[in-house]
Amino acid sequence: MSTTAADELDVLRVRDWLRGVETGTVGDLSATLIAGGRSNPTYALTDGDRSWILRRPPQGHVLPTAHDMGREYRALSSLKDSAVPVPRTVGLCTDPSVIGASFYVMDKLEGITLRTQNDTAQLTEAQRAGLAGSMMTTLAELHAIDPADVGLADWGKPDGFLERQLRRWQRQWDASATSERPEVAELLRRLQAGLPSRSYPGIVHGDFKIDNMMIDRSDPAHILGVLDWEMSTLGDTVTDLGILCSFWDHEGEFFNPITAGATALPGFPTRDELVDRYMIARGIDVPDIDWYLVFADFKIAIILEGIHARHTQGHTEGEDFAGVGEMVGPLLGRALERASASSVTGLAG
C-alpha cells in the first residue's frame, strides 16, 4: 500500500469502499496526489491494472457551499451520454469514516491537461487554434443542453441567478478576506447597478478553462473530458464565457497564477475572438458582455483570496500557492478598469 504525498488518504479504506461500488476486481491500491491542484485535492489511484481519480474537499478553511463532492458527482453522472465529454463516474462516498470527508471516484482518462505555458508551448500553432475551437464548440454544446433532458431540471434556479451570485460572492469575500480591499465594495456596487436586462439560462459549468480539459495526446483538438464540475448549476450560461475570458491570458499582460500564461502563445485566439466565436456558435448577441467579463474577474479574485486564506493557514496541498494572493489586486484592478471603460449602463460608475 502507498500514500505517496497523501498521508491523510487511507488507501486501505478506499480500496474496501471501491470494491463495493466498482465492477470487476480491485486490487491493492497506491495513491498519488496530482500536482497542480489548488482547490479540491485530487488523487490518482491504481491497482497496477486499472486506474481511477479520487476527489475530495480541501482540509481547513472551506467556504460555505464550496467543494460539494455530491454536486460534482451528480453533474458528471448526468452528462455521461450528452454531447459534452466527461469521465465515467464510479461512486460517491458520503461516509466521513472512510477518509475523513466525502469524496467520489471516476475513471482516469488517459490524456493530458495543459496547465502552464510550458505545456501549451509543446503544441503547434495549428493545434492551439484547434483546441481553442473545440473548447468553444464544447461550451456552446453544453449551454444548448436542455437540463430536463439529462435529469438536471432541479439543478438550480436560473431566475435571479446573477443577483444571487453577487450576494454569494460578497459573503465569500467576507468569509475569506485577509486584507482590506475597497475595490470589492465598489465593484459590487457597479455590478448591481449594471445587471444585464436579459439572461441566457442553462447548465453552467462554473470553472470552464483550459486546464479543466483532458485532451487527447495525439490530437490536442480532441477533448476527452471536461473536468471540475464542483461549481456547476443552472443559471446564466454566459457567466461561463466570462470565466473563460478571465483565465485566457494574453502576451504582454499579467498572467493569472492558475493558468500561468497557458494561452499567451501564437495560435490561441484573443478574448474578443473567443466572445465572437461563442456568440456565433450559439446564435446569440450579448450587448452586456462587459458585465460578464467584469464579474468574472471579480469572482476569480475572491476565489483566489479564499485559496490564499487556506494557504496562510497551512491547509493547501500541491504546489505554486505562495503567489496566489498577489493576483487578487491585479484582477480587481482589471475589473475596475473594464467597468470604467464600459458603455453598459451602471457599470462605468
Side-chain angles (χ1 to χ4, degrees), residues 13-61:
R13 287 181 176 273
V14 172
R15 180 204 63 186
D16 291 344
W17 172 84
L18 189 56
R19 286 175 173 174
V21 297
E22 180 61 290
T23 58
T25 302
V26 177
D28 289 347
L29 295 177
S30 63
T32 304
L33 177 67
I34 296 176
R38 294 180 177 86
S39 182
N40 291 324
T42 303
Y43 304 91
L45 306 176
T46 184
D47 64 0
D49 181 42
R50 304 166 69 186
S51 298
W52 303 268
I53 293 293
L54 181 150
R55 277 170 63 82
R56 55 152 295 162
Q59 299 189 64
H61 178 89

Side-chain angles (χ1 to χ4, degrees), residues 71-90:
R71 193 165 187 84
E72 188 166 29
Y73 178 80
R74 182 181 168 192
L76 287 165
S77 300
S78 297
L79 292 169
K80 64 179 181 179
D81 295 321
S82 75
V84 178
V86 292
R88 180 186 73 98
T89 52
V90 177

Side-chain angles (χ1 to χ4, degrees), residues 117-132:
Q117 193 174 85
N118 288 336
D119 295 333
T120 53
Q122 307 307 310
L123 307 183
T124 66
E125 288 190 31
Q127 288 173 331
R128 294 176 201 135
L131 173 57

